[in-house]
Structure formats: C-alpha cells, structure tokens
Amino acid sequence: APDEMERIEKKPTLNVQAYNYYLQGREYYFSAFSTREGLELATRMFEKALEADSNFALAYAGLSDCYSSYVINSFDPKKSWLEKAEKAVLKALALDPDLAEAHRALSRLYWIEWKTERAIKEAEEAVKVNPNYGEAWRLLGQWYTGICQYTKAESSLMRAL
C-alpha cells in the first residue's frame, strides 16, 4: 500500500547522532525501564537525541514514555511528571500528527489519568496509522481487557503477536 511504503521510507531524522541516541534510549527503556537507573538512562538518551535534533518527533514520544513511567513505576508520583509527559507527546504529535508511537504514548498517558475512552481512541489511532505496530496492539488489548471487552482484547493481543 502507498501509505505503508511512505511510512517505511520516511526518515525520522537526518541527524545520525540523534538517531543513535534515540535507539539507545529505546534500548534502555525496553530493557530496564522497571528500574529507576534504567529509566534515568533512557531519559538522558532521549534528551541527548533532542539536543542533537530538536524536531525529532520519535524522541519526544520516547521522552513522554519515560516521564509517565516515573509515575507508573512509583519512582516519583508527582503530577509534574505527567505534565511533562503530556507536553513531550503533544510536541511529538505537533511535529508528526501520524506518528504511531506518539499516539501510543498519549494513549498510555490517558490511561494513567483514568481517561479510558481517550486512551482507547489513541491506541486505536496508533494501530490505524501503523497496522504492524505490535506494541500499540498489545496496549490496546490491555485497555480492552481493563474494560472487560474480552473479544476485542483477544483480537488485539493476537495482532500484537
């Protein structure tokens, strides 16, 4: 499909250093976000990516994930983390309204804030924008489970695989 080819060919940044920092941030985030040290390392890498390219939407989405994880993981329950997460993800969406990672990050933020319908809408938008985005399908399945829509949850979780 033309949309899929466009998404594949789209370069998130032309700055190689920014992209390397972003990849390191994602690595730290997915491998160690459950520890405060891992989360702090991921946060630093996304911040360095943005220092190298201040218009790097994916790095803002990653930073949003980190900020909200400080609250999710009970490292620091201050509401200011959620405000920072929202600011970062809205910046990502302002730079790239079709960025699936940003829609997924916003979905996660809405869920934390008990905005269930908005959380589901954003997760659905993430998989609409990128139907092959397993993490967004997993999150959507998790949200459907949370509201007892088990048929939709199973379908979404199967797509995640």
Side-chain angles (χ1 to χ4, degrees):
D3 286 349
E4 188 174 12
M5 285 307 296
E6 191 175 302
R7 196 173 55 251
I8 291 169
E9 292 172 355
K10 183 177 180 182
K11 291 176 177 53
T13 180
L14 298 177
N15 185 313
V16 175
Q17 184 181 28
Y19 194 68
N20 282 334
Y21 284 132
Y22 167 78
L23 291 176
Q24 289 175 49
R26 277 292 171 208
E27 175 64 25
Y28 286 127
Y29 181 78
F30 284 118
S31 65
F33 83 97
S34 60
T35 69
R36 186 173 188 118
E37 180 184 52
L39 192 55
E40 288 170 350
L41 285 169
T43 301
R44 274 200 296 276
M45 291 300 108
F46 291 129
E47 288 170 345
K48 284 179 169 241
L50 290 167
E51 287 170 16
D53 180 354
S54 63
N55 292 314
F56 189 6
L58 270 174
Y60 282 106
L63 199 53
S64 178
D65 283 333
C66 287
Y67 291 156
S68 61
S69 291
Y70 282 99
V71 175
I72 292 170
N73 294 339
S74 301
F75 297 140
D76 191 345
K78 289 189 202 114
K79 189 170 173 58
S80 61
W81 285 114
L82 299 181
E83 292 164 358
K84 289 172 80 169
E86 183 176 33
K87 184 178 177 185
V89 76
L90 292 178
K91 176 71 172 177
L93 287 168
L95 291 167
D96 187 350
D98 292 327
L99 185 64
E101 290 84 352
H103 286 287
R104 188 216 24 86
L106 186 56
S107 170
R108 190 166 174 256
L109 184 58
Y110 283 151
W111 190 266
I112 297 164
E113 296 175 335
W114 298 96
K115 298 174 182 173
T116 308
E117 288 180 26
R118 291 172 82 180
I120 290 170
K121 180 182 168 287
E122 287 298 328
E124 289 172 341
E125 184 64 23
V127 298
K128 178 182 161 201
V129 171
N130 183 355
N132 298 319
Y133 188 20
E135 178 59 18
W137 281 111
R138 185 199 63 76
L139 205 64
L140 186 57
Q142 188 176 335
W143 296 170
Y144 283 141
T145 300
I147 61 168
C148 303
Q149 291 190 14
Y150 300 117
T151 304
K152 287 183 175 181
E154 181 182 24
S155 174
S156 297
L157 292 169
M158 292 304 291
R159 287 289 305 264
L161 298 175

